[in-house]
Structure formats: structure tokens, C-alpha cells
Amino acid sequence: MTFPLKGSRTTALALLLLSCVVCVLAARDFRSLWTPDRVVSAPGFRQEMLSRYFEALKGTPLDTPVFVQEGAEPGGTLFVLGGTHPNEPAGYLTAVTLLENVRVTKGRLLVVPFGNASGFTHNQPQEASPQRISFPLPGGGVRTFRYGSRDINNIVMWPIPDIYIHKASGQALAGNESKNLNRAYPGDPEGTPAEKLAFGIMELLRKEKVDLAFDLHEASPEYPVVDAIVAHEKSMELAAAAAMDLKEQGIEVRLEPSPKNLRGLSHREWGDGTDALPILVEVANPSQGRLRGRTDEALVLTGKDKAYLLASRLGRLFVPYDEKGKPIEERVGRDLATLKAFLDAQELFDEEKAVRLEGIPGYREVQEKGLGAFLKPLPAGR
Ligand SMILES: [Zn+2]
């Protein structure tokens, strides 16, 4: 079947020109996602790169900054990883908030805010998620962060197998999971980009002799492991003390053991393959969920969604949910309070390995003042 072409050469040229303009604008937009988000680290931090611990990452889109601050008093080493999944912003914004606000007085702090750097360079297909989220600053100005995908970018890692076999265990998962950093541990120095990145993080944990290690995530309110701490058996005693502390503060939290037969995840492999006590924190975020409606910046920032309100009334959610939604301030505040509770517990359990941080914003403080109050203005210029 053929369609008679209406119009003239002029119309054809105009359409061609229009499609070129659309391509150029789209290309500029996609390209802009490759510019890393800037951070303003607090005094006392120095910046390294992950490739310092695993040379093969150097010059690749997988390499990512590692910020280090040492306190005057010797103590333990704390590691905080944000951005394993760049579509879970509370994780990387908690890491950035720490980085921009805290002073280490005892022990050492290592922060990797954008763990899966290439995941920040694209969006998850068919999720209609925003490309960026912004926070107004109290003194004027705005801080903007990319909102990425949970996967390593296809440009960096291709082709994808139909079935992903986790090398260390033979566990079989859907092929897409091969691009998921949090299924790739303990990694492989000769493996796929995801396995190399995971190996680099394992090397950091080993070479820096990390004592306590956090991997910060978000998940759907209809997912059972949410507003939860997932702890390796080595970390469980400490995690139980931290969970009790949080409950005393009125912050409800679920405590979940890391399953021994689910492989490739940070809370399992960091504990099995390094001396660190690993903790994964999962906070409830409706913009992750399958029930959500329109997915835009407002949903990511406020967590307000009519469908989740209905689901909550029908008793389908694993966390309390009402008209207030799940604002990013509550989610970041929860992460910060959890970190603080672990540090306090560590101080009681093993003072030699304690890490003391001054200036961690409080759970209620972040909600009262807004996250922008804890983000610093960017210095002028690039
Ligand atoms: Zn996640």
C-alpha cells in the first residue's frame, strides 16, 4: 500500500530541517547528562578516585570520586556509598549531605557519592523519570543533581546476556541484572564493566581496612524490605542496637538479615570478602514503585501520590503512608539518623573502631529546614 505524498519539496525540506533540530537538541540534552554533578566538600576532605584502588578503572566512565577525611584522634574507618542506583536519590543525596557538612574528629570517613557513575548518564527506559532534581538554597540559587538509572549505561556495557550468571556462585538472574552493580559483587578484575566496578569497591574496602560500610538505597513502598536495615550476620549485633536507638527516637525501622543464598549484593559480599561490617539501608520512595502515577520531579521530591494513598488505605503497603507523602527530606533524614545510630552503637561496642562525626544534620532538622539548607552554594565557574 502506498500513500500519495502531499506537499512540496519545501515541506519536505522543512520537515528534514525540523528533524535535524530535534536531533541536535536531544543530543545536547543526552550529552549534558555526562557532565558530573559538582559537590562542595566540607573543609578537611581530600579527593581521590576509585581507580586509585583498581587501576583498570582509570580513564573509564566507571571511575568515580572518593572523598576522604581523617580525624585528629585515631579510630575506625567508615565508608558511605551513595549512587549504587542513581534513580534512588536519597542514597546519593545523603552521601553528598555528609560530604558537605561533617567534620571528622575521630577515625576516618570515606564517601563515594556517585558509586555507579555511568548510571547517572542515562535514564531507565520506559520509566518516564525526570533527568534532574533541584533544591533551592536559603541564600538564593539552586543545586541540581542528575536522576539516573539503576543500570550501568548500555554505551559502557553491551551486549547484555539473556541470563546473567553470577560468577562466584553460578546464581542465575535475568540478563538485565548483569548491569546492576548491586548484583556484581565481589566483582572480577577481568570481568564485565559492572564486575570491574564492583571489584574496585571491594579493593577500596580491603586496602582502606574499612570497619563499617554503608550502601544507601531506596525502594517501592509495596516492597517488603523497605524503611529497613539489611545486615550481614557479622553486622547484626550492631544493627540491632542501632535499630533500637532509632525506634527510641520514634523512627520505625525494620531489621532484615542478609540472605546467605542471594549473591552479588553489597550486604552479602562486602561481609564475606572483606573485614568490613556491611549495612544496606533501604528507604521507601513512591517514585520507585509500580503503583505510582505521573512520574516527575515533584513525585521524586515529595513522594506524594494518589495511587499510593489508596494502596495504603487498602493495606497494601509495608510502611505508613498518608497525605504527607514521603518527602526527600524524610528519606535523607532517615539515612542520616541511621548512620548516626550505628556510629553511637559502634562507640559503645568497640571504642577503638569508633568514628566520630560532628555536624551530621538531624532527622527532624532536615525535615524542618529542607535539604537545600544543608547543600552549599557552588563556587562560580566550572
Ligand atoms: Zn537500590
Side-chain angles (χ1 to χ4, degrees):
M1 186 173 166
T2 57
F3 293 98
L5 258 184
K6 282 189 181 172
S8 62
R9 182 176 291 198
T10 320
T11 317
L13 281 172
L15 285 173
L16 186 64
L17 192 64
L18 183 67
S19 57
C20 285
V21 169
V22 169
C23 287
V24 168
L25 290 177
R28 271 179 48 178
D29 205 32
F30 289 140
R31 227 183 134 71
S32 72
L33 289 175
W34 285 81
T35 306
D37 293 318
R38 295 164 74 198
V39 290
V40 187
S41 53
F45 277 104
R46 67 170 196 276
Q47 188 190 319
E48 308 280 358
M49 292 299 283
L50 188 60
S51 52
R52 180 176 174 221
Y53 305 94
F54 178 42
E55 182 85 31
L57 298 176
K58 199 169 186 173
T60 73
L62 304 166
D63 205 2
T64 192
V66 180
F67 296 88
V68 186
Q69 191 184 154
E70 292 173 30
E73 196 184 329
T77 298
L78 167 67
F79 173 66
V80 178
L81 177 64
T84 290
H85 294 144
N87 58 341
E88 297 169 14
Y92 58 83
L93 291 169
T94 298
V96 169
T97 304
L98 277 182
L99 182 60
E100 304 203 354
N101 290 279
V102 301
R103 191 167 84 85
V104 182
T105 57
K106 178 183 169 78
R108 301 191 312 145
L109 167 64
L110 284 88
V111 183
V112 173
F114 310 114
N116 172 12
S118 101
F120 283 88
T121 62
H122 67 138
N123 290 123
Q124 200 79 16
Q126 301 182 338
E127 293 289 337
S129 47
Q131 286 186 325
R132 288 181 173 79
I133 49 175
S134 295
F135 300 89
L137 306 185
V142 71
R143 286 283 300 274
T144 300
F145 296 88
R146 291 169 298 166
Y147 181 96
S149 157
R150 85 200 287 266
D151 295 334
I152 286 177
N153 195 325
N154 286 339
I155 291 174
V156 178
M157 187 165 166
W158 189 263
I160 303 307
D162 290 339
I163 294 174
Y164 163 51
I165 307 289
H166 178 252
K167 278 186 193 150
S169 63
Q171 165 187 275
L173 293 171
N176 219 38
E177 291 289 33
S178 64
K179 295 185 288 182
N180 181 352
L181 169 61
N182 206 26
R183 297 294 179 276
Y185 295 107
D188 176 359
E190 306 291 331
T192 65
E195 289 165 340
K196 283 183 175 156
L197 176 58
F199 181 79
I201 292 169
M202 294 291 285
E203 284 290 276
L204 177 154
L205 294 169
R206 287 188 281 255
K207 289 179 179 170
E208 294 288 359
K209 299 187 170 41
V210 169
D211 297 300
L212 186 55
F214 285 87
D215 186 14
L216 304 176
H217 289 255
E218 295 198 273
S220 330
E222 71 271 26
Y223 176 58
V225 184
V226 81
D227 284 356
I229 294 167
V230 187
H232 190 276
E233 52 275 15
K234 293 198 296 190
S235 326
M236 193 45 92
E237 203 179 11
L238 198 62
M244 280 194 285
D245 181 350
L246 289 169
K247 281 181 193 238
E248 271 173 31
Q249 297 177 49
I251 305 171
E252 276 307 313
V253 66
R254 217 177 287 263
L255 180 56
E256 299 281 342
S258 165
K260 285 190 177 158
N261 54 359
L262 184 54
R263 298 293 306 274
L265 290 100
S266 56
H267 52 72
R268 168 58 34 208
E269 310 295 341
W270 291 2
D272 289 354
T274 80
D275 290 333
L277 300 181
I279 301 295
L280 185 139
V281 186
E282 198 82 75
V283 294
N285 173 5
S287 61
Q288 300 288 314
R290 295 297 98 194
L291 309 178
R292 69 180 195 268
R294 183 176 174 180
T295 312
D296 55 9
E297 184 183 11
L299 177 61
V300 175
L301 296 180
T302 66
K304 286 183 187 169
D305 186 285
K306 278 186 251 169
Y308 274 101
L309 211 48
L310 181 61
S312 176
R313 286 183 189 136
L314 295 171
R316 298 289 173 187
L317 303 185
F318 287 88
V319 288
Y321 186 89
D322 58 24
E323 289 80 5
K324 292 197 293 289
K326 286 277 173 193
I328 188 84
E329 280 79 9
E330 184 190 329
R331 285 138 54 199
V332 169
R334 175 176 273 277
D335 277 347
L336 293 168
T338 305
L339 281 162
K340 176 84 169 57
F342 270 92
L343 294 183
D344 290 348
Q346 178 85 318
E347 184 105 35
L348 287 175
F349 280 45
D350 189 351
E351 217 211 315
E352 263 183 35
K353 288 185 180 168
V355 176
R356 238 173 264 145
L357 307 181
E358 281 180 358
I360 303 180
Y363 175 63
R364 287 176 183 82
E365 193 186 4
V366 179
Q367 294 178 68
E368 281 159 17
K369 295 183 180 169
L371 193 58
F374 301 95
L375 298 171
K376 308 298 174 208
L378 288 176
R382 294 216 65 89

